[in-house]
Amino acid sequence: MLDQGAPPQSPPTSAPPSPGLGARLMRRKPVERLVQEGGHGEGGSLRRSLGLWQLTMISIGATLGTGIFVVLGQAVPKAGPAVTLSFVIAGVTALFSALSYAELAGTIPVAGSSYSYAYATMGELIAWICGWCLVLEYGVSVAAVAVGWGEYLNELLDGTIGVTIPDALSAPPGDGGVFNLPALIVVLLAMAFLLGGARESARANTVMVAVKIASLVLFCAIGVQGLRSGNYEHFMPLGMAGVSAAGATLFFSYIGFDAASTAGEEAKDPQRDLPRAIMLSLAIVTALYVLVAAVAVGAKPWRQFGNAHAALAEIMKEVTGQTFWGTLLAACAVIAIASVVLTVLYGQTRILFAMGRDGLVPKVFARVHPKTGTPRANTVIVSLFCGILAAAVPLGQLADATSIGTLFAFALVNVAVVVLRRTRPAMRRTFRVPFAPVFPAIGFLLCVWMMASLSAITWEVFGVWMAVGLVFYFTYGYRRSRLAAAEPAVAGQPQDPSQELLAEK
C-alpha cells in the first residue's frame, strides 16, 4: 500500500552526457565574448591609440616593399615579362580575400585576425589550424624579408664606403654563407621599436612608408628612361603555368592587410577604420607593384634577373650608368624593408597574444606590460625566433612557405564570412562583401588554385608544419583551452555569452 502522505518522488536524473571528441573540437567562441575580451591580457591591457591613418600605414608597411624590393628577382625567372600579370593575379586573389577580411574585421575587431574569425565560426580545431598557419605566415615572412634587407644593406655599403659584409656573415647556409648577421640585426631593431609601444612603432612605420613610396616613384621616373620594347617580346615565355607559379610566390607580398586586422584591439574605432584601411592599402599597393614591375622588366631583359635580391638597385645603376642612384635606392630599400619587418613582426605578436589569451599557447604570450601596454615577453620570444630563422634559412624556401600559409588562412577567412552570414545574419556589419556568397567562393577557389601552383617541397614543408601543430594542439592547447573550461555541460548547446563570462570569473 502506498503512503498517501509521502511527497511524490521525482524520477532520478542522470548526469548530462559529456561532450564527445567531435563536439569539443568544433566548440565555437561567441563573437560577443571575443569582443568583450578585446585588449585584455595577463596583467594588463593593450592601448587603443591607432586611427585610420596609422592602420593604413601598418597595412602598407607590411605589404609594400616585400614583393618589389625582395621577391621580384625570384619571380621574374618564373614568369618572364608576364610577371606584371602575376602581380595582377596575386592582387585580384588578395582582393577577394581582402573583402572578406574587411567584413570580419569590422564585425569582430580583435587581435587574432583570421584565427579569431575561425574560432567564432568553424570551431576550435579549425581556429588552431588557422592560427598555426598564421604563425608560419608571419614568422617566416619576417625572416624572409630580413634576408632581403641584408642584400640591400650590402648594396648600400658598397656604394658608400666600398665595403661589403663577407658572404660568410651575410648569407645563410645553402646560399654560400654561414650566418646572416644583417637579417638578425634588422629583426632585433624592429623588436626594440615594438617594445616601446604600438603608437611609437606606428609613428616610426609612417616615416618609413613615406620613404619607400618616394623611392619607388623615383625608380619609375628613372627606370622608364631605360625601357626597351624588345624586352616585352615573348611576353609569356613559360606559359600560364609560369605566371601562376610566380603569382603564388608573389602572393607572399600581399599579407599586409592581414597585419592591419591584427590591430583590432589597439584601434580607436576598429569597426569603422579597419575595413577602410584594408581596402585603401590594397589599392595603393597593387597599383605600385604593377607599375614598378612593368618598368623593371622593360628596362632589363628578364633572363638577366637571375634571382637577384637587389634587382631594382641594379637596374638604376644600369639605366643611369652611375652608382649614385642605385646607392640611393638601396638606402631607401634598407628603410623600406625594415618597415615590413616591423609591421609583420607586430602582427605575429598579436596573433600569439590572442592564442595565449585563449589558452591554446602558453600564457606568457598574452602577458601585457602595464607601463607600455605591449606584450613584452611575447615580442622578445618571437623576435629571437624569427631572427635566428632569418640567419639560417635561404630566402626562396622562406618565401614559398609563407605563401602557402597565407593562402590557407585566407581561404578559411572566405569560408568564415559565409558561415557567419548564415549563423548570425542579424549581426551589425560595418562593411559587407558584395555578391556574397559568390565573391567569398571565388576568393576561396583562387586561394586553392594558387596553392596548387606551389612546388612539391613547399607542400611537404607545409605538411610537416601542420603535423607538428596538431601534435602541439592535442598535447597542450586541447587540454588547456579556456573555452573548454567554460563550455556548457552538454556539447552543442548554445550558452549566453554573458553567463559564460560570469561562469569563468
Side-chain angles (χ1 to χ4, degrees), residues 128 359-364 470-481:
W128 168 263
L360 301 187
V361 298
K363 289 184 178 180
V364 65
L470 290 173
V471 170
F472 186 90
Y473 171 71
F474 283 107
T475 57
Y476 185 92
Y478 176 77
R479 301 176 185 278
R480 296 175 181 265
S481 166

Side-chain angles (χ1 to χ4, degrees), residues 48 66 69 142-143 252 286 309 381 430 437 454 467:
R48 293 194 178 275
T66 309
F69 286 110
V142 169
F252 157 83
T286 302
H309 298 322
I381 293 170
T430 56
L454 293 168

Side-chain angles (χ1 to χ4, degrees), residues 145-155 165 170 180 182-183 186 334 337:
V145 176
V147 172
W149 184 83
E151 297 286 337
Y152 276 97
L153 179 63
N154 259 339
E155 286 283 331
I165 302 172
S170 62
N180 194 329
V186 71
V334 166
I337 296 173

